[in-house]
Amino acid sequence: MLNKDVKIINVGIADIQGGQSPSVIRTTLGSCIGVVFYSPEKKVGAMAHIMLAKDPSGKDSSKNPHKYAETALPELLKRMTELGCNKGEYFARLFGGASMFKGMNSSFLQNIGDLNVSVAKEFLDKEKITLLVEDVGGHEGRTISLYLDDGRILLKKGGFEKYLYKVR
């Protein structure tokens, strides 16, 4: 049960949100990925809900930069800077990337999740941001909630829920 003073910050599809303790940042994912940054010292964090790895046309990412990993992830870094954090003060966690289109006869649709995950991991590696926890792939959607008071994540998947406490 959440304290009545706790603000829930919902992250929509192709959206980035950030906040500070005692807020909770939440999103629901299928083949999309949720990239979570959290600073345990400053008790701030940000979350991106990314639909696709790259803009296939090269024209949409300027209008919808949070939709694509290649443009959303730099924006997520920027959001953490706006929240007062420097690189090295926060860590990453990665969720989603499920194969939600089984039975479809399209390799593109079946591989959206895998491609999203690999592009996000490449970015984190290039930026030297430590990936602490991941729960990716499979065929089930997920809901993740980042509690900014201590950085725990409530992961709901397949009718079960569990807390993930690793923050550094």
Side-chain angles (χ1 to χ4, degrees):
M1 185 59 114
L2 290 174
N3 180 320
K4 64 181 173 74
D5 298 330
V6 174
K7 177 179 172 192
I8 303 290
I9 302 168
N10 289 303
V11 183
I13 297 171
D15 188 16
I16 293 175
Q17 296 292 328
Q20 59 191 26
S21 179
S23 296
V24 176
I25 305 175
R26 177 177 295 153
T27 198
T28 299
L29 305 159
S31 57
C32 295
I33 57 168
V35 181
V36 177
F37 289 164
Y38 180 71
S39 167
E41 281 77 31
K42 296 190 175 169
K43 297 186 182 298
V44 299
M47 183 184 296
H49 183 134
I50 299 168
M51 285 181 66
L52 298 170
K54 299 176 189 252
D55 177 2
S57 70
K59 298 174 185 163
D60 189 43
S61 59
S62 59
K63 287 186 291 198
N64 299 301
H66 300 161
K67 185 175 181 179
Y68 304 99
E70 65 186 356
T71 47
L73 291 170
E75 290 291 317
L76 189 60
L77 289 178
K78 196 163 113 182
R79 183 63 52 96
M80 288 301 286
T81 301
E82 291 166 358
L83 289 165
C85 291
N86 298 309
K87 260 201 280 183
E89 296 179 333
Y90 53 88
F91 303 93
R93 290 171 280 176
L94 181 60
F95 301 92
S99 179
M100 302 297 290
F101 303 100
K102 62 183 178 182
M104 298 284 289
N105 223 4
S106 165
S107 63
F108 171 75
L109 288 177
Q110 289 178 2
N111 294 322
I112 288 173
D114 291 340
L115 188 56
N116 286 344
V117 169
S118 69
V119 167
K121 285 182 175 182
E122 286 171 21
F123 178 85
L124 294 172
D125 190 50
K126 181 183 82 146
E127 294 294 329
K128 297 181 177 29
I129 299 170
T130 302
L131 177 61
L132 295 177
V133 173
E134 64 180 89
D135 189 286
V136 296
H139 297 286
E140 297 172 315
R142 298 159 173 84
T143 297
I144 55 171
S145 300
L146 169 63
Y147 290 78
L148 295 170
D149 60 345
D150 64 3
R152 74 191 180 279
I153 298 244
L154 175 60
L155 169 66
K156 295 180 181 180
K157 177 176 83 171
F160 295 96
E161 55 184 54
K162 66 180 175 180
Y163 282 102
L164 306 170
Y165 288 95
K166 188 167 185 177
V167 297
R168 64 178 88 230

